[in-house]
Amino acid sequence: MAQFALIWLLLLVSTFSHAAWQQQWQLELDAGFASASNSPVFASEDQGFADVALRWFPQYGNLQAQLVALSQNKQKQDNQHDLIFAELFWKTELAERDLLVGKQRIDLGVSYGFRPLDMFLPYRRNPVAIQVEEGVGVLSLSQFSGSGEYALFYTDSYLATESEGLQQRGAGLRWYQLSNNSEWQALTYYDNKRALNLGGTWVTTFGDAWEVHAESRYQQHYLRAVSHLNPDNIGTVPPVNEQEFKHGFQALIGMTWANLNGDNLILEYWFDNRALNQQEWQNVADISRYLEQQNGGISQLRYSQGEVFNGQNLVQHNVMLHWHRDIEDWQPAFDLMLAPEDGGVIATARLDYEFSQGWTLGARLRYLGGASSAVYSLLPESKIVLIKLEGYF
């Protein structure tokens, strides 16, 4: 142990003796309004909100960090203020290999709407409001070749402050290869919660305009909240409990098209067998509406059904269409996420304007719903509108 500490100290001294100090700040502010849906599952109300995030990115030689001061303010809820060490890691060379130690955000995915390989501490893709993507503890040793990389790594998400319910630690191997217009990636990872995880990605380009990508993951075990309520067992069984299932599988296929005018189109389809199927969602909707019509404390049981909405994907089959255009200082974008089985729709319009170098003013509008029987219509909000300011200095 003492020898390891001495080696660590010598490496740090060697790194810092040639170090150069750099830093950057990022300020994000948003203010908006969320319109409540008529969902029987959530006790939601129309409310305004405002968020502020000040991020500091210091770098001293090979030591890098990200510290975030976050303030979240909602009109009808208690305000929340956090100071988060999102990242703190050190990179160096050891025996002609790259060594990384610390806390870093790891996302190995290649997709837009959903990333199966974002497995260490997943976050919502493309949120409209401010989101802090915190890293996990990592120890990685990588070997690069002329066209690829091999990496042995260990991760620990218990170090993340926002990882409640997602904690795991484990070790894995990663292989990456680039050949002509294609790149491949394979990953094997074993942790103390999900046991064996196997994943891979593939990306290839055709000419100057087309790209195709694919991504998938298998996990030996996964947890999912399950509802047991029906009109005949109320008061005799727990409303919802978390159960372990075997053999989770997620797969995505997508394509990208771009032109010289700055238009970019992405079309993706993905499947996630960990999500509830349509019959299970119908049972959640039926018991929630039944409880809503009851009197007294029994009616409040319907809010327990909100726990089943915590999965990465709510439905098993998903389609995403994304468009954005780069027009000098203007960047309009539009996302359309569809649930083909029940007619669910989540549509998001974005518009950003860079009014000064490094400073952007933006607006967001998101609609959640679709068909009256859609799972998305059970979410607490039906519309979200906000404006935001973001800048680097």
Side-chain angles (χ1 to χ4, degrees), residues 228-237 287 290-291:
H228 300 283
L229 281 185
N230 62 59
D232 299 324
N233 65 10
I234 295 173
T236 62
V237 299
I287 190 60
Y290 172 82
L291 291 169

Side-chain angles (χ1 to χ4, degrees), residues 14 26 28 62 69-70 84 87 160-161 181 212 239 280 358 360 380:
S14 175
Q26 180 192 26
E28 289 184 274
N62 294 334
L70 177 66
I84 304 168
E87 293 184 301
T161 58
N181 296 326
V212 176
E280 291 170 321
T360 302

Side-chain angles (χ1 to χ4, degrees), residues 235-256:
T236 62
V237 299
V240 176
N241 70 354
E242 195 172 52
Q243 293 184 8
E244 183 177 284
F245 296 86
K246 292 184 177 181
H247 310 307
F249 179 72
Q250 308 101 58
L252 179 147
I253 182 74
M255 59 183 294
T256 303

Side-chain angles (χ1 to χ4, degrees), residues 63-239:
L63 184 65
Q64 300 179 46
Q66 179 188 169
L67 181 64
V68 184
L70 177 66
S71 177
Q72 297 173 301
N73 307 275
K74 294 187 177 181
Q75 184 178 357
K76 299 179 181 180
Q77 298 181 24
D78 293 336
N79 298 337
Q80 184 174 345
H81 310 287
D82 297 295
L83 186 63
I84 304 168
F85 249 116
E87 293 184 301
L88 177 61
F89 60 91
W90 175 63
K91 295 191 291 186
T92 190
E93 186 174 304
L94 180 65
E96 298 184 350
R97 292 170 175 82
D98 289 340
L99 174 68
L100 185 147
V101 183
K103 182 180 182 181
Q104 187 188 43
R105 178 80 173 103
I106 302 176
D107 183 1
L108 304 175
V110 299
S111 310
Y112 176 80
F114 170 59
R115 292 186 168 180
L117 290 197
D118 188 7
M119 68 175 75
F120 306 105
L121 187 58
Y123 285 91
R124 288 176 299 157
R125 298 288 301 160
N126 309 304
V128 290
I130 293 173
Q131 176 174 256
V132 178
E133 297 190 357
E134 192 175 357
V136 298
V138 59
L139 172 62
S140 173
L141 190 64
S142 304
Q143 173 70 57
F144 290 90
S145 64
S147 60
E149 177 192 6
Y150 298 90
L152 173 65
F153 63 91
Y154 168 85
T155 70
D156 186 343
S157 65
Y158 290 85
L159 296 181
T161 58
E162 300 296 323
S163 66
E164 184 176 354
L166 299 170
Q167 296 100 335
Q168 73 272 325
R169 57 172 62 96
L173 289 167
R174 174 178 176 261
W175 169 79
Y176 170 84
Q177 186 68 34
L178 174 65
S179 177
N180 297 323
N181 296 326
S182 300
E183 59 182 62
W184 296 267
Q185 180 180 211
L187 182 78
T188 178
Y189 177 72
Y190 191 93
D191 65 56
N192 62 329
K193 294 292 182 68
R194 299 165 299 191
L196 181 64
N197 295 263
L198 299 172
T201 64
W202 170 70
V203 179
T204 191
T205 57
F206 301 93
D208 297 327
W210 294 92
E211 176 263 11
V212 176
H213 56 272
E215 185 171 348
S216 65
R217 175 163 70 104
Y218 163 83
Q219 58 187 90
Q220 192 172 356
H221 300 284
Y222 65 95
L223 296 175
R224 190 178 74 191
V226 178
S227 172
H228 300 283
L229 281 185
N230 62 59
D232 299 324
N233 65 10
I234 295 173
T236 62
V237 299

Side-chain angles (χ1 to χ4, degrees), residues 213 253-257 265-269 319-322:
H213 56 272
I253 182 74
M255 59 183 294
T256 303
W257 173 82
L265 283 174
I266 301 175
L267 177 63
E268 293 180 334
Y269 163 80
V319 175
M320 168 70 82
L321 176 64
H322 166 80

